[in-house]
Amino acid sequence: METVAGALSAKEIREWVTNFFPPEKRSSALVRSLAGDLADFITTGDLSTRLDAFVALKEWTTADLSSPNSRDTTRLRTMLSIMDANPALCAGFQRAVSLILHEVRSVTLFAEAGLHPREGLWSEAARRLVRHILPSAREDTDLAKLVSRLYPTDETIERMVNLPDAVFEHIVRILSPLNDSTAWENQIADLTQAFHLLGVHVAGIGLSPGMRERSHQGTIEESSFYQLQQATAELVRVKGSAPAMENWRQNVHRCRTELNFVHYRMESTGVSTSLVFDIGTIERAIARMESIADVLFTQHSQHPIADVKRLLDDVMNARREDMSLRALFSENTELIARKVVERTGEAGEHYIANSRKEYKMIWWASLGGGLLTVFTAAIKMRIVEADFPPFVEGMAAGTNYAVSFILLQVLHLALATKQPSVTAATFAGIVRTTRGKARLEKVAEFVSRISRSQLASAAGNLLAVCAGCVAFAGLWHLIFGHPFLEVGSADHVYHSLDPIGSGTMFYAALTGVVLWVSALAGGWFENFATFNCVPEAIAQHRLGLKVGRERMKKMAEKVDANISGWVTSIVLGYLLGFVPAFGKFFGIPLDVRHVTLSTGTLALAAASLGKNWVREGWFINTLFGIACTFVLNLGVSFMIAATVGMRAYGITKSAQLELWKYTALSFLKSPRRFLIPPAATTEPEQSSAHDAATAAPAADRPPQITAEQTGEMTGKSA
């Protein structure tokens, strides 16, 4: 390897650096360290040693920063001042940088960072864990490895990006070798190769079977992803001419429009995590290509320093995430979240009232649901009194609940807080397709609709279940001559619903989680059935030759319309049944508190106690417990669903806080609309992803993408 030792000696370099500082500081360890590292960097003939010295110099310039957001650049400015004060030293430094630039390659960093192939979660996690414990052998010619050494944490990357433009430009000027026009040729060539590779990557993923099935129909040559790759090659060939750049940007816009269309088609064709991953990869690759284009063809840029910073910020953070276990699990969590919310469930939409007419329908459905729950609560108490083994009790209670919930769906009745799977998808549709003031108002309106719908449902349930249980207990006493519940069982009900003296608050919150998990299961299974064309397979099954094709088609339509609700009901039922049994089996204090079921058991206990039902203030305490149960059931399940929806689309915590703050202020300004629907008979503006998806057939109406939505598609935070 070439050396620059002939130009300067290590002794001269140490003397020059030492003499730059005041006499009282020349003997300090910091000054000696800087002088030694500079001497090693400039005089060494070995790439590995030179890179070690370069990393040490960078660490020296940032060692005095006290916090990630610190703007103290004293050491960095000192380093730059040393170079400015001694042209010979600066020339030696630049020659050493030139040697690095001629040997280090950067295609991998710019073309692959953050865009790695899809691998299994656990195999990728194991690979990253092994790399942390036993780092791979260093490849000195790979710029990606050097970047990881120079900027090993998010904080160090943030400090670099936040450097003032004047300081950043000064650094570039010091690094740029004088009188050597070829110094950056390798890096420019690598950046160009990365630009080509990203175009090919976008075309390859965009033309995969899953993407083609959900894209506009046409030949391969007509695909916007294929055309982007062709436009990329042309842009490089003509070295960024204005017409070629304009054509390339138009192709980028068409790709994003096509991605928006794919999002839209997933509403009706189902979602897979691999497909969501592919869409995200294309979005990131296109954003990277835009950054590279701004750097390569600077004649089209008004802010070249900002463009370079943006590109470096992107690739360095992506490189960090490629090695991070936390980033891996965070990414997979977001993929699962997007898979859930991309597919809008159709079952259960009657839980959200959009008009006075629907509001009245919820009341009637809830009254019927409350009456049905009378029998569910009565059977539950008999199962509890039987003192079965934990598994048998869980199975019996779960079956009781599941059958009851399925009957509710079949009879088009409603149960308070039984969240429909559409909730998270509707919320995600709002935060994905709107921004600014419109998003805030739509979220507030959506929350108000959920609140008044659930309040109506709860009121109908509770009135009906109370009256029904009292009537049931009275009829039981009239027929059999004794109360439905023994005194001991009735006392246990009172004690278990005391919000202070029992675990009711925790159990109610836990039930909110159970409600959300059941809705999650219903949405997932509906998506599975849609993605794998289960209804179509039923309609075309060979059994139709015996029972008739029309019957099979009707069966398929029924499955398609109800599968989400059925699965939600079954999962919710058995979770409610087995959580207490699980706790009893392991000796853990676990139980569930569902507002309607708890109210039913309370009414049965009160009726069984007769005149003693108000003794010692128990009944008042339990009423407060019922109120807490309702708030926690609804609040926990809805907040989890909303958080999942916002997490799926990368809504920042500050943006989430702004949404909830605006919603709370809206309630304080107009609590009426959160309690009862407005008097106007007009339907509110539809804001859900499902409404948008069902407005017209997919083949007839491609969605229009706005400038704001384009920002969302690139993965930029709201």
Side-chain angles (χ1 to χ4, degrees), residues 583-656:
K584 185 183 293 185
F585 182 83
F586 287 100
I588 303 172
L590 286 180
D591 210 337
V592 291
R593 295 287 185 272
H594 187 279
V595 59
T596 309
L597 291 168
S598 296
T599 303
T601 57
L602 175 62
L604 288 173
S608 298
L609 286 175
K611 296 180 181 180
N612 296 323
W613 64 281
V614 293
R615 65 184 181 185
E616 299 180 14
W618 288 359
F619 193 72
I620 302 301
N621 284 343
T622 52
L623 285 182
F624 180 60
I626 293 296
C628 292
T629 298
F630 169 69
V631 171
L632 289 170
N633 283 175
L634 175 62
V636 170
S637 58
F638 176 74
M639 287 299 295
I640 295 176
T643 301
V644 168
M646 290 189 286
R647 180 182 178 86
Y649 292 103
I651 305 301
T652 62
K653 290 183 179 179
S654 59
Q656 294 181 33

Side-chain angles (χ1 to χ4, degrees), residues 239-281:
K239 299 181 179 179
S241 68
M245 177 62 79
E246 179 61 26
N247 178 58
W248 185 81
R249 293 198 185 281
Q250 289 178 359
N251 276 282
V252 166
H253 180 75
R254 282 195 287 271
C255 283
R256 288 193 171 125
T257 304
E258 193 66 31
L259 287 175
N260 193 46
F261 184 77
V262 172
H263 272 288
Y264 165 74
R265 286 294 306 279
M266 287 194 299
E267 302 279 346
S268 56
T269 60
V271 190
S272 70
T273 50
S274 61
L275 184 61
V276 175
F277 178 85
D278 287 343
I279 292 173
T281 299

Side-chain angles (χ1 to χ4, degrees), residues 10-85:
K11 182 179 179 181
E12 288 176 318
I13 295 170
R14 290 190 180 94
E15 288 178 354
W16 285 342
V17 173
T18 302
N19 292 334
F20 178 83
F21 291 91
E24 65 273 12
K25 293 185 177 180
R26 292 174 184 173
S27 60
S28 69
L30 291 175
V31 172
R32 292 200 305 271
S33 173
L34 175 61
D37 291 335
L38 264 175
D40 290 342
F41 179 67
I42 294 174
T43 61
T44 185
D46 177 62
L47 176 62
S48 180
T49 305
R50 183 177 293 118
L51 291 178
D52 289 341
F54 189 66
V55 172
L57 288 172
K58 184 266 173 184
E59 290 176 349
W60 187 92
T61 63
T62 59
D64 58 348
L65 297 181
S66 58
S67 68
N69 298 321
S70 174
R71 292 185 174 271
D72 182 4
T73 56
T74 304
R75 289 197 186 183
L76 177 59
R77 293 178 188 273
T78 299
M79 178 74 169
L80 297 176
S81 298
I82 291 173
M83 295 298 168
D84 290 337

